[in-house]
Each structure stands twice: as C-alpha cells, then as structure tokens.
C-alpha cells in the first residue's frame, strides 16, 4: 500500500463511522488514480457529485450498505443536509495537510499523484525549505520520466516476443496483459507503435479468415458474437441454469483488470474470447449476440427489443417465457424465482469509455467499477448459474482524420449508418467513390459498409477520442469468459 494513500485515508476517515463528508478545494481526492487506490488499498469508495447526487447515493447505497466505507466530496460542507452530517465524519482536506513541513504549498497542488507519492516517501516529516522544494520535485519528475522510458522499452520488447496467432485466445490475453500494465504505468505512448504493428497482423488475419469465422460451428466454441447463444444452448445440460452478462464497450485489456478482482473470490474462471460483429457497433454486434444469428440493419436498438430477442431465442429452444429473464441497467437487479436463462446487460462501462479522454482515464474508471460488477457476478454464481461474461465491442484510442462533408453524408444508410469509425451506405457507387478517393485512410470495405482499420476516426484532425466501430483488434476481440462455482 502507498504510504501517502494510507496517510490520506487516516486524515479523512475515522474507525467509528463508515461515511465521511469532505470539503476538498484542491481536488486531490477527486483524481481517478487517488479514488482507485483508496478503493483498492483501503476499501474506501470516493463519491463525487452534486449535493443531489450525493443525497441519492446516501439513500440508495450508504443507508442500505453493510460495512462499506464511503467518502463524499462536496464543494461546501454548509450545503449538506443536517441528517447526512449527523451520520458522517465531516472534515476539510488539502494535500498540503499531509506535507505540513513542505514550504511551497502551491507547488504541491500542481503535482500529479505519482510525484507526490515519491515525495512523501522521501521527506516524511522532514522540514523542506522553499528553495529545496523545487529541486526535490524536479529531481523526482526527471527520475520518473527516465523510468517510464525504460519501462516502455521493456514492455515493447515483451509485445515483440508474443507469437501472434489470432486463432488462439492466448494472443489477445498476452497482448492485453502487457497493454494494461503499460496503461497503468503511464507509458502507453512508448508502446503505441508496437500496438500498431500488432494490429497490422490482425488486419491481415481479418482479410483471410474473419468472414468465414462468422459461419463457424458453435458447438465447441463461439468464435464470433452471433454464435454465443447457439454455443450456450448446445452445451447446456438438462435444466442447467445459465446466465449471460453483457458489458457494453468492454475491451479485453479491461477484463485483465476485472480478473484481478474476480481472483479474490472463490469461483472458477475459464478465460476465452470471441469476435465482435463488424462494424463493431452496438446496434449490430449486441444484436448479433441476442439474435444468435446475423444481425439486421433495420433493427432498433433498445432494451425492449433486446429482451424480445432473448426470450424468442430460448422459446425456440423449448423454454417458456416464464423460464427466461432479462435485466438492464434501468431494471432492479433482482433474479426472479425459477429462472433458467438469465441475461444481464450493463452500458455503464460503455458510458465510461466514451467519457474518457485516454486509456489512463479508462483504466481508473474500470478499477472503480470492478467491485460493483463483481458483487453482481457473485450473486449470480451463488444463485446456481453458470455465467458467461462477454461484450459487444471494445474500444480504441483514435486520432482525428477529418470530418465528413454534408455531401458525403447524403448517401449513407439511416439509423446507425455513421459513426466515428464506420460508414454504412445506401448507394454502392458512392461507397466505391469514397473508398477510392480517400486512400489516405485505411478502411475495410465489405457489402454496403466500411470500417477504419487503424487508429483514426472521422472527426477533426486535432481531436483524439476513445471510440469503436472499426476493425482494430482492440475493438474487435472481446472477452467470452465462463464463471461458475468451484
């Protein structure tokens, strides 16, 4: 455990109360990395939001929790309702509180957590003069930069040593483990060229094998998302209870993070992967999961239609509608009595992905999300279900190429036809014209659609974003994990 995080936790919490309300003007406690470490190392969940959002959390989570510890970050303690204050330890906090003898308080507030963490371990309670403050911080920052460069070189070599066989799940697993470590250590930029090379290998595989894979036999393995339900049905024994958990927008490297949390539980985990439907968008790829077949372009994506697909599939397998349940984020997470086939869909991770500015943001948000999804997974497994966890697509950090003109948009299909990384056409001639006239961006063209192969997107060339819809391996290869009792 970080000594700094331990000291911070001691400052903002007390043993006799599971809720702290903290006024933190410098914003230190709101940083994603700080929140993730407080949760991971101390079991403290930091909640940031408006007074109304804190009140809702207080009623729906804190008041019904059994032993969970929370810290609410507020702009002003004076605006918090009295009954919440009476239930909580109320305190002010600034990062300078943990460095009482560090003379330059303003300099402290400008430093990232990784610098502060090392600084705390070096000075502890030693008095540091104003002049020494700057020298210390500069030396730490330089040392960190050197270590990151060396770490990036080491991780890039690890990636280079991986045998790339896209017909084996070990490939995406090994690549994702290295990628997750690089993101965590803040050195993704140092391995990005190697990720591009790996993706080039995947694109070659796509051209040779992807479309044939969509027609593969589902008995032994669900190689693509349209085969997940046929695979589950073919391998379901008798009245065995099965559950399908679909996490929208969940890349395989994020599963690497989740697996660390799942590893603390007494459950059996069987790793695996499957391929998203291309273009890798929810309307098509998640539809393919729940249809258990080729998706339709005129489909309207909604929980209601998804539920209907789920029920219809299992009715075709001889079950009644009373044997089947579908739960989305808008529903209460409560499993009905006698359910044999349960589906749970959450879009929370997809929302976090689209709101993230880079992989580092998404890593922290994923860590914050993991404990709650683990609770649901354990609840499902303890209820006697064999659980399959999967996703409809992952995501890729993309760089703007250019926006489409109004004329270029005219010939696109309709709903879902235009995304940041894909285009669906209603005019084949215009599709071909666009493809031929824009050779400076790498696209795969098939039927009436096109998807971007590399890490670019149809937005302003000064923009970066986490998104999906293309054929990059990070958005196309998703987890398909089996979880059950030991």
């Amino acid at each position: 455990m970080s000594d700094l995080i331990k000291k911070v936790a001691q400052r903002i919490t007390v043993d006799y109360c599971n809720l702290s309300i903290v006024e933190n003007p410098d914003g230190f406690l709101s940083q994603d990395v700080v929140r993730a470490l407080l949760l991971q190392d101390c079991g403290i969940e930091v909640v940031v939001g408006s007074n109304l959002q804190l009140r809702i959390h207080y009623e729906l989570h804190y008041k019904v929790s059994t032993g969970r510890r929370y810290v609410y970050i507020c702009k002003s303690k004076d605006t918090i309702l009295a009954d919440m204050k009476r239930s909580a330890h109320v305190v002010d906090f600034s990062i300078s509180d943990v460095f009482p003898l560090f003379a330059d308080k303003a300099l402290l507030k400008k430093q990232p957590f990784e610098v502060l963490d090392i600084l705390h371990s070096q000075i502890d309670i030693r008095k540091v003069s104003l002049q020494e403050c700057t020298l210390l911080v500069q030396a730490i920052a330089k040392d960190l930069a050197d270590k990151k460069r060396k770490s990036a070189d080491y991780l890039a070599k690890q990636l280079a040593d991986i045998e790339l066989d896209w017909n084996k799940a070990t490939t995406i697993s090994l690549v994702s483990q290295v990628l997750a470590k690089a993101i965590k250590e803040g050195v993704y930029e140092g391995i990005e060229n190697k990720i591009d090379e790996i993706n080039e290998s995947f694109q070659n595989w796509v051209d040779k094998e992807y479309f044939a894979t969509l027609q593969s036999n589902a008995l032994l393995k669900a190689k693509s998302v349209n085969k997940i339900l046929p695979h589950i049905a073919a391998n379901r024994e008798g009245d065995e209870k099965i559950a399908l958990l679909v996490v929208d927008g969940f890349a395989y490297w994020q599963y690497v993070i989740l697996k660390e949390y799942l590893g603390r539980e007494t459950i059996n985990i069987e790793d695996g992967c499957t391929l998203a439907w291309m273009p890798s968008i929810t309307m098509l790829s998640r539809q393919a999961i729940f249809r258990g077949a080729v998706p339709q372009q005129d489909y309207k994506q909604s929980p209601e239609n998804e539920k209907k697909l789920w029920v219809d599939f299992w009715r075709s397998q001889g079950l009644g509608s009373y044997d089947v349940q579908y739960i989305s984020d808008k529903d209460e997470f409560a499993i009905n009595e006698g359910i044999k086939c349960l589906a749970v869909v959450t879009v929370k991770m997809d929302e976090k992905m689209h709101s993230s500015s880079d992989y580092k943001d998404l890593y922290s948000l994923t860590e914050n999300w993991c404990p709650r999804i683990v609770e649901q997974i354990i609840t499902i497994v303890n209820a006697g279900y064999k659980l399959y966890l999967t996703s409809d697509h992952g995501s890729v950090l993309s760089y703007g190429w250019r926006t489409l003109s109004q004329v270029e948009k005219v010939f696109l299909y309709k709903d879902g036809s235009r995304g940041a990384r894909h285009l669906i056409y209603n005019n084949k001639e215009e599709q071909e014209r666009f493809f031929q006239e824009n050779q400076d961006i790498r696209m795969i063209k098939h039927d009436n659609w096109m998807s971007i192969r590399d890490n670019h997107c149809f937005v302003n060339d000064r923009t970066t974003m986490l998104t999906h819809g293309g054929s990059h391996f990070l958005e196309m290869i998703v987890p398909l994990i089996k979880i059950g009792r030991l």
Side-chain angles (χ1 to χ4, degrees):
M1 178 191 296
S2 160
D3 287 338
L4 177 57
I5 287 295
K6 182 178 180 181
K7 186 71 69 68
V8 169
Q10 292 171 346
R11 290 269 181 169
I12 62 176
T13 63
V14 289
D15 292 338
Y16 58 81
C17 184
N18 285 335
L19 175 63
S20 294
I21 296 176
V22 184
E23 189 173 325
N24 177 222
D26 63 21
F28 175 81
L29 296 174
S30 299
Q31 294 181 41
D32 289 338
V33 62
V34 175
R35 295 173 65 188
L37 286 171
L38 282 169
L39 182 61
Q40 175 183 300
D41 295 344
C42 307
I44 299 169
E45 183 173 345
V46 178
V47 182
V48 181
S50 65
N51 285 357
L52 177 59
Q53 290 170 321
L54 295 179
R55 183 70 199 193
I56 292 172
H57 189 281
Y58 178 78
E59 295 292 340
L60 298 182
H61 296 283
Y62 173 70
K63 289 178 73 173
V64 299
S65 68
T66 55
R68 293 180 67 93
R69 302 172 71 197
Y70 298 100
V71 168
Y72 289 176
I73 307 300
C74 64
K75 290 184 178 180
S76 171
K77 305 188 302 295
D78 297 334
T79 61
I80 299 296
L81 293 176
D83 64 324
M84 291 176 65
K85 287 184 180 179
R86 287 194 297 269
S87 301
H89 171 61
V90 183
V91 64
D92 294 308
F93 177 81
S94 170
I95 187 57
S96 59
D97 295 342
V98 190
F99 295 86
L101 302 181
F102 192 87
D104 195 340
K105 307 299 185 186
L107 182 62
L108 280 177
K109 296 176 182 179
K110 297 177 183 178
Q111 304 310 310
F113 172 80
E114 56 188 354
V115 170
L116 293 172
D117 193 32
I118 296 171
L119 181 65
H120 182 265
S121 67
Q122 288 184 356
I123 68 173
D124 197 14
I125 58 172
R126 178 170 67 84
K127 186 175 182 179
V128 183
S129 68
L130 201 61
Q131 182 179 7
E132 189 184 2
C133 288
T134 301
L135 294 175
L136 265 176
V137 168
Q138 289 177 343
I140 292 170
K142 182 180 183 303
D143 185 54
L144 278 171
D146 290 342
K147 287 180 179 178
K148 283 185 177 181
R149 178 183 54 77
K150 293 177 183 177
S151 176
D153 291 343
Y154 173 73
L155 294 173
K157 185 180 183 305
Q158 282 193 316
L159 288 174
D161 290 341
I162 295 172
E163 180 183 354
L164 301 179
D165 183 345
W166 299 108
N167 293 307
K168 295 180 179 178
T170 51
T171 296
I172 188 61
S173 177
L174 292 172
V175 170
S176 295
Q177 289 172 44
V178 178
L179 176 58
K181 188 173 183 180
I183 295 169
K184 182 178 183 179
E185 295 183 3
V187 298
Y188 171 74
E189 292 78 6
I191 67 164
E192 192 166 24
N193 288 340
K194 185 55 64 177
I195 292 295
D196 291 343
E197 292 176 16
I198 291 172
N199 181 56
E200 189 60 32
S201 166
F202 180 72
Q203 298 310 309
N204 292 334
W205 181 89
V206 166
D207 291 339
K208 295 174 184 176
E209 301 191 38
Y210 171 76
F211 295 101
T213 299
L214 300 178
Q215 308 302 322
S216 62
N217 190 306
L219 179 61
L220 296 179
K221 185 179 179 182
K223 294 184 178 181
S224 53
V225 288
N226 58 309
K227 299 295 183 177
I228 292 176
L229 289 193
H231 173 76
I232 293 174
N235 289 274
R236 180 171 175 261
E237 300 178 354
D239 284 337
E240 182 181 34
K241 295 163 65 175
I242 63 95
L244 176 65
L245 171 58
V246 180
V247 183
D248 190 2
F250 194 54
Y252 203 99
W253 68 263
Q254 293 172 272
Y255 166 66
V256 171
I257 303 171
L258 175 60
K259 189 176 179 180
E260 291 184 16
Y261 288 82
L262 291 173
R264 303 168 190 172
E265 307 293 334
T266 53
I267 54 177
N268 183 62
I269 302 171
E270 183 180 332
D271 289 349
C273 66
T274 191
L275 290 162
W277 193 269
M278 203 184 301
S280 54
I281 57 174
T282 298
M283 183 187 80
L284 296 177
S285 200
R286 198 156 86 222
Q287 180 197 165
I289 294 175
F290 282 94
R291 191 177 293 279
V294 175
Q296 299 174 0
Q297 284 191 354
D298 59 354
Y299 174 79
K300 302 291 185 182
Q301 178 64 43
S302 71
E304 292 74 23
N305 286 337
E306 213 158 73
K307 177 181 179 181
K308 184 177 184 304
L309 291 177
W310 177 249
V311 173
D312 286 348
F313 178 85
W314 288 109
R315 288 182 66 180
S316 74
Q317 301 296 313
L319 297 181
S321 57
Y322 49 83
D323 294 316
V324 182
Q325 184 181 3
Y326 172 95
I327 301 174
S328 69
D329 287 318
K330 70 176 186 177
D331 302 316
E332 179 186 1
F333 182 73
I335 304 172
N336 296 337
E337 190 72 28
I339 294 300
K340 296 176 182 177
C341 296
L342 170 70
V344 179
V345 177
T346 176
V347 301
K348 298 297 185 184
M349 186 47 61
D350 189 70
E351 293 170 353
K352 294 178 189 298
M353 178 263 292
H354 284 294
S355 68
S356 298
S357 58
D358 55 28
Y359 287 133
K360 189 74 171 178
D361 275 353
L362 185 54
Y363 190 105
S364 296
L365 291 170
T366 303
E367 281 200 317
N368 289 334
W369 167 85
C370 282
R372 291 195 176 182
I373 201 67
V374 168
E375 285 185 4
Q376 290 191 356
I377 289 171
I378 297 306
T379 297
I380 294 169
V381 171
N382 285 343
Y385 289 86
K386 177 191 289 185
L387 173 65
Y388 294 79
L389 183 151
T390 193
S391 180
D392 46 3
H393 58 78
S395 62
V396 61
L397 183 63
S398 304
Y399 301 87
W401 171 64
R402 69 168 175 82
T403 56
L404 299 177
S405 69
Q406 289 302 318
V407 173
E408 289 170 331
K409 296 175 184 177
V410 168
F411 299 99
L412 298 176
Y413 187 64
K414 44 182 180 179
D415 292 343
S417 65
R418 183 179 76 255
R421 289 177 50 79
H422 83 283
L423 303 171
I424 303 176
Y425 280 83
N426 59 19
N427 185 305
K428 296 281 285 186
E429 291 181 1
E430 288 301 319
Q431 177 191 16
E432 183 63 28
R433 182 195 63 77
F434 185 91
F435 185 78
Q436 294 299 331
E437 292 181 2
N438 295 281
Q439 295 293 309
D440 56 326
I441 184 168
R442 297 194 62 229
M443 293 180 288
I444 179 172
K445 177 169 66 73
H446 187 80
D447 289 339
N448 67 333
W449 56 264
M450 294 190 294
S451 286
I452 297 178
R453 290 181 182 270
D454 56 18
N455 58 353
H456 286 93
C457 53
F458 299 120
V459 297
N460 186 287
D461 61 7
R462 294 179 296 277
T463 302
T464 60
M465 63 190 305
L466 271 164
T467 188
H468 55 96
S471 64
H472 197 286
F473 81 94
L474 289 175
E475 58 198 331
M476 284 297 301
I477 307 177
V478 294
L480 179 56
I481 313 302
K482 296 180 185 179
I483 305 173
R485 290 171 171 168
L486 282 176

